[in-house]
Structure formats: C-alpha cells, structure tokens
Amino acid sequence: MASSKGEATTTKPSRVPMARLGIGSKGQKIRLLTNHFKVGMTNSDGYFFHYSVALNYEDGNPVEAKGIGRKILDKVQQTYALELAGKDFAYDGEKSLFTIGALPHNKLEFTVVLEDLSSSSRSTTRGGSLEGSPGEADKKRSKRQPRSKAYKVVIKYAAKIPMQAITNALRGQDSEQYQEAVRVLDIVLRQHAAKRGCLIVRQSFYHDEPRNFTELGGGVLGCRGFHSSFRVTQGGLSLNMDASTTMIVQPGPVVDFLLANQNARDPYQIDWSKAKKMLKSLRIKASPSNREYKITGLTEKPCKEQTFTLKQKSGNGMAGEEKEVELTVYEYFTHHRHIPLNYSGDFPCINVGKPKHPTFIPLELCHLVSLQRYTKALSNLQRASLVEKSRQKPQERMRTLSDALKTSNYKADPLLGSAGISISDQFTQVEGRILPTPKLKVGRDQDLFPRNGRWNFNQKQLVEPSKLERWAVVNFSARCDVRKLCMDLQRCGQQKGISISKPFDHIFEENPQFRRNPAPVRVEKMLEAVKSKLPSPPQFLLCILPERKNSDLYGPWKRRNLSDLGIVTQCIAPTKINDQYLTNVLLKINAKLGGMNSFLAMELSPVLPQISKVPTIIIGMDVSHGSPGRADIPSIAAVVSSRQWPLISRYRAAVRTQSPKLEMIDSLYKKVSDTQDDGLIRELLVDFYSSSNKVKPEHIIIFRDGVSESQFNLVINIELDQIIEACNHLDENWFPKFTVVVAQKNHHTKFFQTNSPDNVLPGTVIDNAICHPKNNDFYMCAHAGPIGTTRPTHYHVLHDEIGFSADDMQELVHSLSYVYQRSTTAISVVAPICYAHLAAAQMSQFIKFDELSETSSSHGGVTAVGGGAVPALPRLHRNVRSSMFFC
C-alpha cells in the first residue's frame, strides 16, 4: 500500500481496491446455502460482438419513445433473418446489441414498418382532437388499414469482447472486458424477460400475473418478482437470484385509481390538480378502440364544457365541402359515436395529445395499463404494508427462488446456449463461521453477555448514567397522563442509575387556539410559553407529539432547540406506556445528555491492538437523498466520528447539504483561506483531539455507506484525498494511516442454514466461495433476524494502510454492531454508519419548512452542480454540537 504521505503530492497514481490478503479462521464453522447457482461455461474461446444501434424515423429524426426499440429490433430479426445470417442477438433496449460471433457485415441498414398502436386516425380539428374520431370518408379505410410507421435501423460494429475475460476474472485477473462480458450476459437475461412481457427494473423482472400483486393502499400495488444477475465469485461464475418487490399503479379504470389514491368517496371529492400530477406520463388503454396512449395532462374544463371544432365533409364522395361544427367532447362521444357516458360529463377529460395538438378522451373510457411503476414516495402506512407483505421466511424464500429458476427456463434461451452457459438448479454450499459474541460492560462494573444478538437491562444499571436536573415537559395536544408519565420515568430512571429530579411544576400544554396554526408557529408559541415560565433555560425538554410518524412539528421543534437554543430534547408519541417503553426512551435520553448505556469490554482492555495501542478515530459516512421524484431537495451528507479514545462507543456528528442526488461527499475538505478549512473532517478531528487528551489520531478507519461498486474508485480517490487534505491543512507534518471500508445493504445475496428453518445466527461471517475472486470483501450477519430472511451486510475493504488481518477486521466490524446506544440488540451494520444515517435524517427535517431563498442566506448556500445555490443547514448550537443528539 502506498502511504498517505506520498499520496498528498500533486502527481500520484490513482488507488484501486486492494486485493484480499487472506481469509479469517476465528469462530465456529458452519455449512450454509446461498442463493447463488453455479454456472458452467463451455464456450470460453468465443467472442461477444458489440454493435451500436441507431433508430430513426423516415425523416431522419431519432426515435426517442421509450420501449419501442425492442419492437423494432424484433421486427428486424423476423424480416431480415437471412441478412443477419440467422444470428440471435441480445439488445439492451437502447443503443447496444450483442451477438456471439460476428454479423456478415460491419455495417447493416434496414427499414422496418410497425403498426402504430399508440396513435389513431383523428379528425382535423381546431383546439384539439378526439380519440378514435376519423372523418366519415376515412372510416372504411381506417378499419382496413391501421396506421403504420417506418423506421430506419443502422447496426454498426463497435467492439469485440472475449468470453475468456470472464475465465480470467475468475482467476483474479480483473479487467474492463470482464465487466463488459458479464454485462452482456445480464442483458441476455433482461431480453429473455422482455420477450415474456415482464416489467424490467434493472436486473429485476416482474410478470403480469394478479397472483403476484398485493394491495398497499392509495391505489398502489406491491408486485412480486425476482432479481437475476451473473456474478463472478471465488467459486466461479454464478447466477444470483433473489425475490424482489416493486410498486406499481393499480391497473383498471383511471377513476378507481384516483379514488383509491386520494382516499375519496366519489369523483366529486377528487383534487384534480393533484390528479394531474399523479397521472402524468402513465399509459392508458382507451375504450372502445383498445389503443394505448401516454397521458400528457387533464383538461381545465369538464367534459360537458370542453369544446373543439370538428371539420366534417358534407355531401357525397371527394367533392363534398368541409364544414366546421363546434362540439363539446361529451356531445361528440354520446351523439356522434353513440358511446354512453355515465359520469364523465362533470369531470376533466384525459389529454393524450401534444401541447399544440391536444387529444381528449372522457375519463370513464380510460383504463390504466398493468405493470406501470409507481415512483413517488410511499406513505408510512404503505411502506409498513410493503415490508410486511414482501417478507418471507427462509424456507419460503428458497422455494420461491427454486420455482422462479424453473419457470425462467433459461435452458431454452438460444443465446445462453450459444455461449455454452449451463445453470445448476442447486443452491451453492458455502462455509460460514459464527464469531464469538462480544462481552459488554454495564453499571457497577458488571459484565453482560448478549444471547442471540440481544440483551436487556433488567436488574442492571447503565454504565455511565447522566443526571437530569432542570427539565420540563411540553405537550402538543396529545392525549396523555403527563404527570403519571413523569413519575414512571423518574422511577424507571432510578432503577437504571439515572438521577432524575422532579420536572418543572408547570406542564406546558398547547393552547387549543394554536392547534390549527402552521407547525413552526405552534413551536414558536410553545417555546415562548416555556421561556416566560422557566427561571432559566432548561437542560432538557421532553416533547409529547400527537402523531407517531411524520409529525409536522418534529422538524421545526428540533431545529429551534438544537440550532438556536442549544437544548437537548426527546420527542415521544406514546400509545402504550410500560417499563420496556420507558427504558428504551431513557436509553436515548441518557446518550443525548452525554451518558453511556453500555461499553464493549474490549474498549477498556487492549484486545484490538490496532485501536487500543494507537490513537484511532472511527468515522462513519452516509449521504441521504430526498424522496424519489424530487430533484429539488438537497442531499444531506453526514459524517460521524468516535471521540474520547480509546473508546469506540461514543460519537459526534457533522452534517452539510449538497447538490440533490450527489452521492460523493463534496464538503469533507473546504478550503476557505490558507488558514481556514470549513469542511466536515476538520470539525471532527479537532473534536477528537480535544476529547482524547490532546492526541492526534494516527489511525483513521472510515466506514462508508451507500455506494455501488462502480463508485469504489471515487471513494478511495476523491473522498479519501479530501480527508488527507483536511489532515494536511491541520498539520502538514502529520501522516496518519487510513483504512477505508464500504458497507452495502442493497444487494441480493442471502444465506440459509442447511439443517434448520431459522435464519442464520448472529455473528455469522462468510469470506469465501461467493466473495470476489480478487478483492477484499466479506458478508456479515451481525444481527438476529426474527422475521423474514436476514439480509447480510456486504463489507468491502477497499484500502488498508493500517494492516488489519481478516480476523481482526471481521472482529472490529462485529464489535461495532454492539455499540449502538439506542437499542439492546446487535444491529445489521456498524453503528457509525447507522449514526450517520440518523444524523442526516434528523437534520434533513430542519430545512423542510424553509423557502430556498431564506435558507440559502443562513450560511451562504452551497453551490450546486447545476449552478444554483443549495440551501445550507443551520449549524448546531455549541451546547449540543458534540452530543449524540441523533440518538
């Protein structure tokens, strides 16, 4: 490994993910099955030929309509089999096509004609046209001959990809060609699914079968399908298959979808401006023509008032004169087309035309097509329903995957056959190890031994209980016996060792006249009342909210307290109060006030020499993005770091906004002048130094969440370089060693016990067989999975100057799953990453109510990639800046 000293210079080679140096041996060995199916490949001497595809209309304009490419290429294959030498090809649906062996020529040009199903003959009109409304003279012709379109297709040779590249990758010889070759195989899988009418979402496939649909509420369905992709592993090429669920729009009458989506009793209650946003770009079939269209909007006027000018031929034959008739859409369909309309007259029409040439269809004649993805953010209820209905126990998931593999019938795919690909129908066997459970320290110097990834504080005290002296309770109109709650909290706190004084006598109940005010106003009124009654600012405020999730009050309340006033606060929305509930609340309060609930025993003894003997800071990094479909909401970058070395249980956070959807963190180092760095890392390093007896960290361990394999090089070059620059800015003669680990939850590998229907046990680690043939990665199931199938975390050690052995790194990761102060269970990913996620989520609430112009002036907005200013977050008050406010 090159040292960071060398890396700080201007000309440096780019870093690449490190190779595996060995595998671990600690722990009890166990045989497991995984959802990877071994792939045989006999034609490794062959080549994939890559061709670029250009699709144009007859006039030379490019075809931009999505989804039509596959139909055009299917027609090419049917029409020009001879010119293609009978070759099958894999088409990616856009601009690339692949064959096994070359096509007869390097450039081929074809013309194909497709019936145009997405438009119809229409009358010539002013102010709009109507679906299925040909002039009288055109009617016979339109029945005989559907409108059709011609397309020009140009296929040009682009590159040659040796299948040998996959074989080389299996031997650990990485190359771009291997990634291209595996991509071709994945495209074959996508094409295989497309030919069977599936909805394709990257490498996940969904069949149009109602038995796969499950209602989530609000007109949204969960659609079960499966993920299928090829992976290069230590054990060879494998097919990774997993159950998958996506959200789709409820197919059927448009009005039924809108009623469900807006929870309306009848169409008169529908908010049509909301409906317009919701329906835009969805596809419908119109009755009675059964033609398919894309919705472009809704009419401003109802069907009975929306007019258009119809040009009709009067007289007989071609010599007839045209006359113009002004009609409403309602009149046209009921009188001219004799289609009865039961309820559409009073409501807007669906517009499926272009801005200058609208096309109107009455609401009740429109039916939403099946398998259309719903890409808006889900409500809490919908999300909970999706999770509940898509979870499967391990055995059930194995049966589902075996069935999916059989019904996929990949054996029949001609391209996989030509590539010599054969797929086993057996789950791959791997060896796992169950690591010893870390021992915890709690109050009175007692040891605590978690069992099955869990522990509790029954008859035990917290290891560092805080003191709660000056505090008060505010209640935003929630139904709750506040006095009893306070007494129970004091009693429970005493049992756990927390000294809780009586709260301020006056309970701040919200004045009923403010309940209907906007949330920021309600918060302001409440804080004014607190300020007027309390003799001095409180140390802590307990806030009772009326709603459990997504309360509008949460963001403004947290912002005012944490940013402006520097008061620690805990929000609760109790439904059932018992000792377990109160203990969980106290765990959070204690951590926020600077106490600790439990330590790892190893923190207090030199078990991991890389951390306990050498000053070490552990950093967790995550970026939180806005809701799907909202490109205007800034992303939030959060970085947390350990403090008070040699502890690895206590953390603080620094958070900034950045350009929407930007995954790389761009504010780790932010040079304002030669002497000033306003970046995230400096803030954390200075805190580590002041909280750790004035020592600088010599080891910096970084855990990064939320990046894909294609971004690994950016993490260890761009982000790590920023961190090194931040260190150099503080002291140019200081050269700490770095280790960078990425944690991935968003993958499709699962593990199953061979002799039990239960989930794999907490502490299970796998670093062989299905791991990368060259790179340093492993899977860890640190937590107990009581429901569904456990999702392991996939850790990739990208860069390691510190020199961890496989066992030491796996033990560190396992241990960091036991330091999460909010719960009494091991968590599925290391605590620093969880804390970064929590800090980003909490502070993203701060800017929920701000206009962009207001917030961008609070700290001079951050400049976005697109050039506009991103609103900056308000900085935390100095009283709470170094606290675990995010707990």
PDB file of all heavy atoms in Angstrom, residues 145-164:
ATOM      1  N   GLN A 145     -56.990  -0.593 -42.834  1.00  0.00           N
ATOM      2  CA  GLN A 145     -55.543  -0.444 -42.790  1.00  0.00           C
ATOM      3  C   GLN A 145     -55.131   0.413 -41.595  1.00  0.00           C
ATOM      4  O   GLN A 145     -55.235   1.626 -41.640  1.00  0.00           O
ATOM      5  CB  GLN A 145     -55.107   0.241 -44.091  1.00  0.00           C
ATOM      6  CG  GLN A 145     -53.604   0.398 -44.200  1.00  0.00           C
ATOM      7  CD  GLN A 145     -53.279   1.265 -45.411  1.00  0.00           C
ATOM      8  OE1 GLN A 145     -54.077   1.369 -46.316  1.00  0.00           O
ATOM      9  NE2 GLN A 145     -52.122   1.885 -45.409  1.00  0.00           N
ATOM     10  N   PRO A 146     -54.644  -0.221 -40.510  1.00  0.00           N
ATOM     11  CA  PRO A 146     -54.195   0.573 -39.359  1.00  0.00           C
ATOM     12  C   PRO A 146     -53.027   1.469 -39.777  1.00  0.00           C
ATOM     13  O   PRO A 146     -52.265   1.106 -40.656  1.00  0.00           O
ATOM     14  CB  PRO A 146     -53.710  -0.487 -38.353  1.00  0.00           C
ATOM     15  CG  PRO A 146     -54.191  -1.789 -38.869  1.00  0.00           C
ATOM     16  CD  PRO A 146     -54.425  -1.651 -40.324  1.00  0.00           C
ATOM     17  N   ARG A 147     -52.925   2.611 -39.114  1.00  0.00           N
ATOM     18  CA  ARG A 147     -51.813   3.495 -39.434  1.00  0.00           C
ATOM     19  C   ARG A 147     -50.508   2.821 -39.076  1.00  0.00           C
ATOM     20  O   ARG A 147     -50.403   2.160 -38.068  1.00  0.00           O
ATOM     21  CB  ARG A 147     -51.968   4.781 -38.636  1.00  0.00           C
ATOM     22  CG  ARG A 147     -52.066   5.994 -39.536  1.00  0.00           C
ATOM     23  CD  ARG A 147     -52.441   7.189 -38.719  1.00  0.00           C
ATOM     24  NE  ARG A 147     -51.238   7.943 -38.407  1.00  0.00           N
ATOM     25  CZ  ARG A 147     -51.266   9.167 -37.911  1.00  0.00           C
ATOM     26  NH1 ARG A 147     -52.406   9.728 -37.653  1.00  0.00           N
ATOM     27  NH2 ARG A 147     -50.164   9.815 -37.660  1.00  0.00           N
ATOM     28  N   SER A 148     -49.491   2.997 -39.903  1.00  0.00           N
ATOM     29  CA  SER A 148     -48.213   2.356 -39.609  1.00  0.00           C
ATOM     30  C   SER A 148     -47.092   3.359 -39.788  1.00  0.00           C
ATOM     31  O   SER A 148     -47.272   4.401 -40.413  1.00  0.00           O
ATOM     32  CB  SER A 148     -48.011   1.148 -40.523  1.00  0.00           C
ATOM     33  OG  SER A 148     -48.119   1.564 -41.862  1.00  0.00           O
ATOM     34  N   LYS A 149     -45.927   3.023 -39.201  1.00  0.00           N
ATOM     35  CA  LYS A 149     -44.766   3.911 -39.274  1.00  0.00           C
ATOM     36  C   LYS A 149     -43.573   3.120 -39.743  1.00  0.00           C
ATOM     37  O   LYS A 149     -43.405   1.953 -39.364  1.00  0.00           O
ATOM     38  CB  LYS A 149     -44.469   4.502 -37.889  1.00  0.00           C
ATOM     39  CG  LYS A 149     -45.210   5.774 -37.595  1.00  0.00           C
ATOM     40  CD  LYS A 149     -44.704   6.391 -36.301  1.00  0.00           C
ATOM     41  CE  LYS A 149     -45.556   7.617 -35.938  1.00  0.00           C
ATOM     42  NZ  LYS A 149     -45.338   8.030 -34.559  1.00  0.00           N
ATOM     43  N   ALA A 150     -42.713   3.776 -40.526  1.00  0.00           N
ATOM     44  CA  ALA A 150     -41.478   3.134 -40.987  1.00  0.00           C
ATOM     45  C   ALA A 150     -40.312   3.641 -40.142  1.00  0.00           C
ATOM     46  O   ALA A 150     -40.291   4.802 -39.725  1.00  0.00           O
ATOM     47  CB  ALA A 150     -41.248   3.457 -42.453  1.00  0.00           C
ATOM     48  N   TYR A 151     -39.379   2.747 -39.872  1.00  0.00           N
ATOM     49  CA  TYR A 151     -38.196   3.096 -39.073  1.00  0.00           C
ATOM     50  C   TYR A 151     -36.942   2.649 -39.811  1.00  0.00           C
ATOM     51  O   TYR A 151     -36.920   1.571 -40.420  1.00  0.00           O
ATOM     52  CB  TYR A 151     -38.241   2.390 -37.712  1.00  0.00           C
ATOM     53  CG  TYR A 151     -39.436   2.750 -36.875  1.00  0.00           C
ATOM     54  CD1 TYR A 151     -40.613   1.999 -36.942  1.00  0.00           C
ATOM     55  CD2 TYR A 151     -39.402   3.841 -36.015  1.00  0.00           C
ATOM     56  CE1 TYR A 151     -41.723   2.335 -36.181  1.00  0.00           C
ATOM     57  CE2 TYR A 151     -40.509   4.182 -35.250  1.00  0.00           C
ATOM     58  CZ  TYR A 151     -41.666   3.433 -35.329  1.00  0.00           C
ATOM     59  OH  TYR A 151     -42.745   3.764 -34.571  1.00  0.00           O
ATOM     60  N   LYS A 152     -35.903   3.471 -39.739  1.00  0.00           N
ATOM     61  CA  LYS A 152     -34.610   3.093 -40.304  1.00  0.00           C
ATOM     62  C   LYS A 152     -33.722   2.612 -39.166  1.00  0.00           C
ATOM     63  O   LYS A 152     -33.627   3.273 -38.117  1.00  0.00           O
ATOM     64  CB  LYS A 152     -33.944   4.297 -40.972  1.00  0.00           C
ATOM     65  CG  LYS A 152     -34.591   4.678 -42.291  1.00  0.00           C
ATOM     66  CD  LYS A 152     -33.859   5.848 -42.903  1.00  0.00           C
ATOM     67  CE  LYS A 152     -34.467   6.205 -44.257  1.00  0.00           C
ATOM     68  NZ  LYS A 152     -33.884   7.439 -44.789  1.00  0.00           N
ATOM     69  N   VAL A 153     -33.089   1.477 -39.347  1.00  0.00           N
ATOM     70  CA  VAL A 153     -32.234   0.879 -38.310  1.00  0.00           C
ATOM     71  C   VAL A 153     -30.826   0.731 -38.880  1.00  0.00           C
ATOM     72  O   VAL A 153     -30.651   0.126 -39.944  1.00  0.00           O
ATOM     73  CB  VAL A 153     -32.769  -0.510 -37.880  1.00  0.00           C
ATOM     74  CG1 VAL A 153     -31.918  -1.096 -36.774  1.00  0.00           C
ATOM     75  CG2 VAL A 153     -34.227  -0.418 -37.451  1.00  0.00           C
ATOM     76  N   VAL A 154     -29.840   1.323 -38.185  1.00  0.00           N
ATOM     77  CA  VAL A 154     -28.440   1.176 -38.603  1.00  0.00           C
ATOM     78  C   VAL A 154     -27.686   0.431 -37.500  1.00  0.00           C
ATOM     79  O   VAL A 154     -27.690   0.857 -36.337  1.00  0.00           O
ATOM     80  CB  VAL A 154     -27.773   2.548 -38.861  1.00  0.00           C
ATOM     81  CG1 VAL A 154     -26.311   2.361 -39.262  1.00  0.00           C
ATOM     82  CG2 VAL A 154     -28.533   3.315 -39.937  1.00  0.00           C
ATOM     83  N   ILE A 155     -27.099  -0.716 -37.856  1.00  0.00           N
ATOM     84  CA  ILE A 155     -26.337  -1.536 -36.888  1.00  0.00           C
ATOM     85  C   ILE A 155     -24.868  -1.478 -37.311  1.00  0.00           C
ATOM     86  O   ILE A 155     -24.520  -1.854 -38.433  1.00  0.00           O
ATOM     87  CB  ILE A 155     -26.867  -2.985 -36.894  1.00  0.00           C
ATOM     88  CG1 ILE A 155     -28.331  -3.016 -36.435  1.00  0.00           C
ATOM     89  CG2 ILE A 155     -26.014  -3.881 -36.005  1.00  0.00           C
ATOM     90  CD1 ILE A 155     -29.007  -4.368 -36.560  1.00  0.00           C
ATOM     91  N   LYS A 156     -24.005  -0.957 -36.400  1.00  0.00           N
ATOM     92  CA  LYS A 156     -22.593  -0.750 -36.734  1.00  0.00           C
ATOM     93  C   LYS A 156     -21.704  -1.476 -35.741  1.00  0.00           C
ATOM     94  O   LYS A 156     -21.947  -1.405 -34.524  1.00  0.00           O
ATOM     95  CB  LYS A 156     -22.273   0.740 -36.622  1.00  0.00           C
ATOM     96  CG  LYS A 156     -22.178   1.489 -37.923  1.00  0.00           C
ATOM     97  CD  LYS A 156     -21.611   2.822 -37.533  1.00  0.00           C
ATOM     98  CE  LYS A 156     -21.628   3.895 -38.509  1.00  0.00           C
ATOM     99  NZ  LYS A 156     -21.528   5.206 -37.964  1.00  0.00           N
ATOM    100  N   TYR A 157     -20.647  -2.111 -36.226  1.00  0.00           N
ATOM    101  CA  TYR A 157     -19.687  -2.811 -35.356  1.00  0.00           C
ATOM    102  C   TYR A 157     -19.018  -1.809 -34.408  1.00  0.00           C
ATOM    103  O   TYR A 157     -18.604  -0.724 -34.822  1.00  0.00           O
ATOM    104  CB  TYR A 157     -18.618  -3.510 -36.209  1.00  0.00           C
ATOM    105  CG  TYR A 157     -17.470  -4.080 -35.399  1.00  0.00           C
ATOM    106  CD1 TYR A 157     -17.630  -5.255 -34.670  1.00  0.00           C
ATOM    107  CD2 TYR A 157     -16.240  -3.424 -35.337  1.00  0.00           C
ATOM    108  CE1 TYR A 157     -16.596  -5.769 -33.915  1.00  0.00           C
ATOM    109  CE2 TYR A 157     -15.194  -3.925 -34.578  1.00  0.00           C
ATOM    110  CZ  TYR A 157     -15.382  -5.098 -33.865  1.00  0.00           C
ATOM    111  OH  TYR A 157     -14.357  -5.601 -33.104  1.00  0.00           O
ATOM    112  N   ALA A 158     -18.919  -2.193 -33.125  1.00  0.00           N
ATOM    113  CA  ALA A 158     -18.293  -1.298 -32.138  1.00  0.00           C
ATOM    114  C   ALA A 158     -17.083  -1.942 -31.462  1.00  0.00           C
ATOM    115  O   ALA A 158     -16.047  -1.298 -31.303  1.00  0.00           O
ATOM    116  CB  ALA A 158     -19.316  -0.891 -31.084  1.00  0.00           C
ATOM    117  N   ALA A 159     -17.201  -3.206 -31.053  1.00  0.00           N
ATOM    118  CA  ALA A 159     -16.092  -3.818 -30.296  1.00  0.00           C
ATOM    119  C   ALA A 159     -16.260  -5.326 -30.243  1.00  0.00           C
ATOM    120  O   ALA A 159     -17.322  -5.867 -30.563  1.00  0.00           O
ATOM    121  CB  ALA A 159     -16.057  -3.258 -28.873  1.00  0.00           C
ATOM    122  N   LYS A 160     -15.181  -5.971 -29.803  1.00  0.00           N
ATOM    123  CA  LYS A 160     -15.165  -7.428 -29.676  1.00  0.00           C
ATOM    124  C   LYS A 160     -14.786  -7.742 -28.230  1.00  0.00           C
ATOM    125  O   LYS A 160     -13.800  -7.199 -27.719  1.00  0.00           O
ATOM    126  CB  LYS A 160     -14.093  -7.957 -30.645  1.00  0.00           C
ATOM    127  CG  LYS A 160     -14.119  -9.437 -30.903  1.00  0.00           C
ATOM    128  CD  LYS A 160     -13.325  -9.711 -32.179  1.00  0.00           C
ATOM    129  CE  LYS A 160     -12.177 -10.658 -31.893  1.00  0.00           C
ATOM    130  NZ  LYS A 160     -11.445 -11.061 -33.075  1.00  0.00           N
ATOM    131  N   ILE A 161     -15.575  -8.569 -27.560  1.00  0.00           N
ATOM    132  CA  ILE A 161     -15.329  -8.859 -26.137  1.00  0.00           C
ATOM    133  C   ILE A 161     -15.065 -10.354 -25.983  1.00  0.00           C
ATOM    134  O   ILE A 161     -15.961 -11.171 -26.239  1.00  0.00           O
ATOM    135  CB  ILE A 161     -16.556  -8.461 -25.273  1.00  0.00           C
ATOM    136  CG1 ILE A 161     -16.938  -6.988 -25.507  1.00  0.00           C
ATOM    137  CG2 ILE A 161     -16.293  -8.714 -23.791  1.00  0.00           C
ATOM    138  CD1 ILE A 161     -18.365  -6.662 -25.146  1.00  0.00           C
ATOM    139  N   PRO A 162     -13.857 -10.738 -25.560  1.00  0.00           N
ATOM    140  CA  PRO A 162     -13.567 -12.173 -25.433  1.00  0.00           C
ATOM    141  C   PRO A 162     -14.274 -12.765 -24.214  1.00  0.00           C
ATOM    142  O   PRO A 162     -14.250 -12.188 -23.127  1.00  0.00           O
ATOM    143  CB  PRO A 162     -12.049 -12.221 -25.248  1.00  0.00           C
ATOM    144  CG  PRO A 162     -11.676 -10.883 -24.708  1.00  0.00           C
ATOM    145  CD  PRO A 162     -12.696  -9.901 -25.208  1.00  0.00           C
ATOM    146  N   MET A 163     -14.917 -13.918 -24.397  1.00  0.00           N
ATOM    147  CA  MET A 163     -15.528 -14.609 -23.245  1.00  0.00           C
ATOM    148  C   MET A 163     -14.439 -15.071 -22.270  1.00  0.00           C
ATOM    149  O   MET A 163     -14.697 -15.281 -21.089  1.00  0.00           O
ATOM    150  CB  MET A 163     -16.343 -15.806 -23.727  1.00  0.00           C
ATOM    151  CG  MET A 163     -17.557 -15.406 -24.547  1.00  0.00           C
ATOM    152  SD  MET A 163     -18.574 -16.841 -24.918  1.00  0.00           S
ATOM    153  CE  MET A 163     -19.457 -16.254 -26.337  1.00  0.00           C
ATOM    154  N   GLN A 164     -13.230 -15.197 -22.801  1.00  0.00           N
ATOM    155  CA  GLN A 164     -12.082 -15.585 -21.969  1.00  0.00           C
ATOM    156  C   GLN A 164     -11.894 -14.604 -20.800  1.00  0.00           C
ATOM    157  O   GLN A 164     -11.364 -14.969 -19.759  1.00  0.00           O
ATOM    158  CB  GLN A 164     -10.812 -15.601 -22.854  1.00  0.00           C
ATOM    159  CG  GLN A 164      -9.556 -16.140 -22.182  1.00  0.00           C
ATOM    160  CD  GLN A 164      -9.635 -17.623 -21.876  1.00  0.00           C
ATOM    161  OE1 GLN A 164     -10.156 -18.386 -22.665  1.00  0.00           O
ATOM    162  NE2 GLN A 164      -9.131 -18.019 -20.722  1.00  0.00           N
TER     163      GLN A 164
END
